[in-house]
Amino acid sequence: MSELIPGQPGAPAAESRAGAPADGSGLMVRAEQVHKSFGSLEVLKGIDLEVRAGEVCCLLGPSGSGKSTFLRCINHLEKINAGSIRVDGDLIGYRERGGRLHEMREKEVAAQRRAIGMVFQRFNLFPHMTVLGNVVEAPVLLGREKKAAARERAAQLLERVGLGDKLGAYPGQLSGGQQQRVAIARALAMRPKLMLFDEPTSALDPELVGEVLDVMKDLARDGMTMIVVTHEIGFAREVGDTLVFMDGGVVVEAGDPREVIANPQHERTRAFLAKVL
Amino acid sequence: MESHDTSTVRARPEPLRAVPVRHPGRWVAVAVLAVLVAMFVHLLVTNAAFNWSFMADKMFRPPIIEGLLRGTVLMTVSAMLIGVTLGVVVAVMRLSDNPILRGVAWLYTWFFRAVPRLVLLAVFGNIGILWSRIEFGVPFDTQLGQLFGIDNLNLRLFGFSSRDILTGFMAGLLGLALSEAAYMAEIVRAGIQSVDEGQTEAAQALGMSRGQLLRRVVLPQAMRVIIPPTGNETIAMLKDTSLLLYVPVSVELFFQLDAVGKRTFQIFPMYVAACLWYLFLTSILLVGQYFLERHFGKGYGPAGRARLRLRGMAAETGGGGNSGTVGPA
Ligand SMILES: Nc1ncnc2c1ncn2[C@@H]1O[C@H](COP(=O)(O)OP(=O)(O)O)[C@@H](O)[C@H]1O
Ligand SMILES: [Mg+2]
């Protein structure tokens, strides 16, 4: 297990890998034929996706194509109707026993979610807690760490995202970019092996986008496995290991970000890229 | 060189001179009111039925003060404590995923909001008619015994005479608290629903269970919405303790004043005394409510906001720039 704290510039890359997958396949996320409907509206129509440990997968697609829904399925905030999602080899939300699937209890689902960090478009910080309180809350409440140790680590994480001087501030006093960096630190405090980002910079003023992307780039360099829904083509090109283009609930095209962006194979990808570039 | 602002060059306009609108109606209203107040004061002073000296003599007697402290103040505090606690439980049940819990919660609020408090208290006051003893043990033991051919099977562990535990005070407390829980459940539910859905999602994504996220994330934020109407409920509860007369609860302010009035055939002065006592007590609560609402009413309240602002300034001056830097990398 790697420590996501600053001050290991010389550490070999292999050592700072965030969690090696248990099943030896090298896959952190494996989604197969994921279907999801809201009532009669079929939002995901069979998504296949594989993300190797330590990889950054960028998810692109027009609004309403089901990107957020897919991300929320990965940590079981939404129940899928068909298919399967495995994170680090474990089936999400279900247990296989005697050739049958059993739905997990709420407690077990909660335990699975602890290994998966999520960052939202609108930050969703807890407004009644200080910045430090936001980061310390989950590890202490869930018995991960003693209070003093958690506070120390939270301070380190906040230092890492450049907010070492804001520990006592409340979210309402911070800029959007600062809030999003706190949200990233909050997710990291649970020592996740996978981080999900749902348009983390879409709610930010343009001049604040860079500071959040910088934190994410640093995280990627540190070997964190990440799935990032974003419209930041520059980020995808620079940091992404794979780019997946979704439209209408299906994966239209996937591949090396630089190639897909420079030379999209599908008309829908081309049309979309022309709009966001 | 700065260009001249046109507005500073232009001369100020003449102040407008106009005859303001007269309000003769207000003066008429003041005159009418003055006459009415004079008539009322005249009534208070001259009508012998008020019997002020008798009232002043009786309204501070020890049984009345005891009734006030126990039957009014203590009862209000206890009924509200139980009511709020149970109300939170019912509200959480009402919002649960479990359809049985939801149904039970709905039934509960339906029943206790549909029956008038006065009637409810009368029922609770006479509930001892149903059982002479209240016992705990295996339910339906006699019937089960008959099923297996045992006569008079008794699997009761312990019990009380209902007259011992369902005293007037307990019956009254039960009636008021259970009814209050139904109203509080609706208030708490509105409070919980006022909290942004994203808060629940963020807490879930961190791996918190439903109970944990309710306690640590949702309820603290719902407080801003819950607390002002809870103040109103407390004031209403204080006034509704007078309904305990119908349980009856004898150690209670209105019961005692009523009893003195009936015994001495001076009912009216004692009812006036009741008005004055309730005016006094609710006024204290109104003052408390004013400060509570100022604190919780909107946003973080002026006091909270000022504190936040101060802290913000300290944080601002404490540290310099901090834009987009990431560790030593
Ligand atoms: N909870 C929900 N109930 C009903 N429809 C939903 C819900 N969540 C998302 N949808 C619908 O699913 C579709 C995909 O939404 P979403 O996953 O948010 O797309 P994206 O993130 O790519 O913009 C949209 O048409 C949206 O209206
Ligand atoms: Mg979305």
Side-chain angles (χ1 to χ4, degrees), chain A residues 62-69 72 121 198-199 229 231:
Chain A
S63 177
S65 57
K67 307 179 297 293
S68 299
T69 305
R72 293 158 52 79
Q121 184 174 349
D198 191 358
E199 301 198 33
V229 175
H231 295 306

Side-chain angles (χ1 to χ4, degrees), chain B:
Chain B
M1 269 305 265
E2 279 179 45
S3 65
H4 275 287
D5 196 346
T6 47
S7 64
T8 56
V9 177
R10 204 164 37 206
R12 288 180 133 244
E14 279 283 298
L16 195 87
R17 273 181 237 281
V19 181
V21 176
R22 309 282 182 205
H23 297 284
R26 286 184 195 172
W27 292 105
V28 176
V30 166
V32 171
L33 270 179
V35 171
L36 286 175
V37 168
M39 284 168 72
F40 185 62
V41 170
H42 182 255
L43 171 81
L44 291 184
V45 173
T46 58
N47 196 315
F50 278 103
N51 206 348
W52 293 106
S53 59
F54 176 84
M55 187 196 86
D57 176 42
K58 296 287 184 197
M59 76 182 279
F60 298 104
R61 289 291 171 91
I64 288 169
I65 299 296
E66 196 200 349
L68 179 145
L69 291 179
R70 285 182 55 192
T72 307
V73 176
L74 179 65
M75 181 67 89
T76 302
V77 173
S78 320
M80 283 311 292
L81 282 179
I82 300 174
V84 170
T85 312
L86 190 57
V88 171
V89 173
V90 174
V92 170
M93 282 167 64
R94 187 76 192 275
L95 294 171
S96 130
D97 289 334
N98 183 331
I100 296 169
L101 290 183
R102 268 206 313 269
V104 169
W106 182 87
L107 208 69
Y108 182 91
T109 42
W110 167 75
F111 179 83
F112 281 100
R113 293 203 315 160
V115 179
R117 249 182 205 177
L118 181 63
V119 177
L120 204 61
L121 288 172
V123 170
F124 272 81
N126 293 287
I127 214 153
I129 290 171
L130 290 181
W131 308 286
S132 57
R133 287 180 62 76
I134 294 176
E135 297 176 315
F136 296 87
V138 178
F140 294 111
D141 50 356
T142 326
Q143 289 86 338
L144 282 174
Q146 277 164 4
L147 215 62
F148 294 101
I150 309 167
D151 275 341
N152 288 327
L153 177 69
N154 188 341
L155 295 177
R156 311 208 173 163
L157 303 175
F158 58 96
F160 314 91
S161 155
S162 53
R163 213 169 299 155
D164 290 346
I165 63 161
L166 269 183
T167 57
F169 188 89
M170 287 307 289
L173 176 59
L174 214 58
L176 287 177
L178 292 183
S179 132
E180 185 56 38
Y183 292 96
M184 281 310 301
E186 292 296 288
I187 291 170
V188 172
R189 185 165 70 112
I192 290 177
Q193 284 175 331
S194 76
V195 177
D196 181 22
E197 189 66 30
Q199 293 289 308
T200 307
E201 282 190 358
Q204 276 180 326
L206 284 166
M208 294 189 203
S209 69
R210 213 182 125 71
Q212 286 169 326
L213 70 89
L214 262 175
R215 189 162 48 84
R216 296 291 304 176
V217 176
V218 175
L219 279 176
Q221 294 183 60
M223 279 306 164
R224 282 189 294 139
V225 175
I226 292 174
I227 280 182
T230 304
N232 288 337
E233 288 294 311
T234 309
I235 291 170
M237 176 59 77
L238 185 114
K239 293 187 290 181
D240 282 357
T241 53
S242 60
L243 300 176
L244 295 173
L245 181 66
Y246 292 88
V247 172
V249 177
S250 55
V251 194
E252 189 270 317
L253 178 64
F254 191 51
F255 184 98
Q256 290 295 330
L257 291 167
D258 183 69
V260 172
K262 283 182 176 141
R263 200 166 59 234
T264 57
F265 300 104
Q266 293 285 350
I267 289 183
F268 195 73
M270 296 327 284
Y271 284 179
V272 172
C275 290
L276 294 178
W277 269 126
Y278 285 114
L279 273 173
F280 171 70
L281 293 170
T282 46
S283 302
I284 294 177
L285 287 186
L286 281 169
V287 172
Q289 190 190 26
Y290 169 77
F291 285 107
L292 262 182
E293 289 205 357
R294 213 175 61 164
H295 189 74
F296 285 99
K298 33 188 158 36
Y300 284 93
R305 227 177 289 136
R307 204 167 54 232
L308 284 178
R309 219 177 296 125
L310 274 177
R311 275 207 214 126
M313 281 194 287
E316 219 71 34
T317 50
N322 58 306
S323 45
T325 49
V326 183

Side-chain angles (χ1 to χ4, degrees), chain A residues 6-7 9 72 75 77 106-107 110-111 113-114 116 118 120 122 124-129 137-138 141-142 159-163 165-166 168-170 173 178 181 186-187 190 211 214-215 218 221, chain B residues 196-213 215-218 220-221 224 300 307-313 315-316 318-329:
Chain A
R72 293 158 52 79
N75 66 0
L77 285 175
E106 195 219 333
K107 285 256 154 62
R113 288 193 186 120
R114 285 168 209 170
I116 305 171
M118 187 159 192
F120 301 86
R122 294 190 48 248
N124 296 348
L125 291 180
F126 306 136
H128 57 301
M129 299 178 190
E137 181 63 23
L141 185 69
L142 303 174
E159 185 69 41
R160 177 183 179 172
V161 299
L163 293 171
D165 57 340
K166 297 284 187 199
Y170 281 86
Q173 302 166 304
Q178 292 171 328
R181 285 184 280 148
R186 178 176 69 174
M190 287 302 288
E211 62 190 62
D214 283 346
V215 170
D218 177 64
R221 260 197 300 277
Chain B
D196 181 22
E197 189 66 30
Q199 293 289 308
T200 307
E201 282 190 358
Q204 276 180 326
L206 284 166
M208 294 189 203
S209 69
R210 213 182 125 71
Q212 286 169 326
L213 70 89
R215 189 162 48 84
R216 296 291 304 176
V217 176
V218 175
Q221 294 183 60
R224 282 189 294 139
Y300 284 93
R307 204 167 54 232
L308 284 178
R309 219 177 296 125
L310 274 177
R311 275 207 214 126
M313 281 194 287
E316 219 71 34
N322 58 306
S323 45
T325 49
V326 183

Side-chain angles (χ1 to χ4, degrees), chain A residues 6-166:
Chain A
Q8 307 169 319
E15 234 179 75
S16 62
R17 287 274 148 189
D23 65 353
S25 68
L27 286 183
M28 180 57 79
V29 180
R30 176 184 211 144
E32 287 176 307
Q33 284 303 305
V34 173
H35 289 258
K36 172 70 192 174
S37 303
F38 293 109
S40 60
L41 176 71
E42 192 176 22
V43 176
L44 301 180
K45 302 170 182 164
I47 302 278
D48 290 306
L49 182 81
E50 292 187 346
V51 182
R52 250 184 292 282
E55 254 185 14
V56 175
C57 169
C58 291
L59 215 53
L60 253 70
S63 177
S65 57
K67 307 179 297 293
S68 299
T69 305
F70 179 59
L71 220 54
R72 293 158 52 79
C73 286
I74 294 178
N75 66 0
H76 210 58
L77 285 175
E78 303 284 0
K79 269 188 201 171
I80 60 178
N81 301 113
S84 69
I85 299 176
R86 285 173 192 276
V87 172
D88 203 8
D90 296 327
L91 208 53
I92 291 294
Y94 301 89
R95 208 179 317 94
E96 277 172 305
R97 221 192 294 128
R100 288 192 60 177
L101 286 185
H102 297 259
E103 233 177 273
M104 277 187 181
R105 300 186 163 279
E106 195 219 333
K107 285 256 154 62
E108 298 169 293
V109 174
Q112 280 190 327
R113 288 193 186 120
R114 285 168 209 170
I116 305 171
M118 187 159 192
V119 175
F120 301 86
Q121 184 174 349
R122 294 190 48 248
F123 331 131
N124 296 348
L125 291 180
F126 306 136
H128 57 301
M129 299 178 190
T130 61
V131 164
L132 189 70
N134 266 275
V135 180
V136 164
E137 181 63 23
V140 172
L141 185 69
L142 303 174
R144 273 287 165 94
E145 267 166 290
K146 288 269 186 308
K147 200 158 200 166
R151 290 173 75 92
E152 196 171 315
R153 218 176 82 82
Q156 285 174 338
L157 283 168
L158 286 163
E159 185 69 41
R160 177 183 179 172
V161 299
L163 293 171
D165 57 340
K166 297 284 187 199

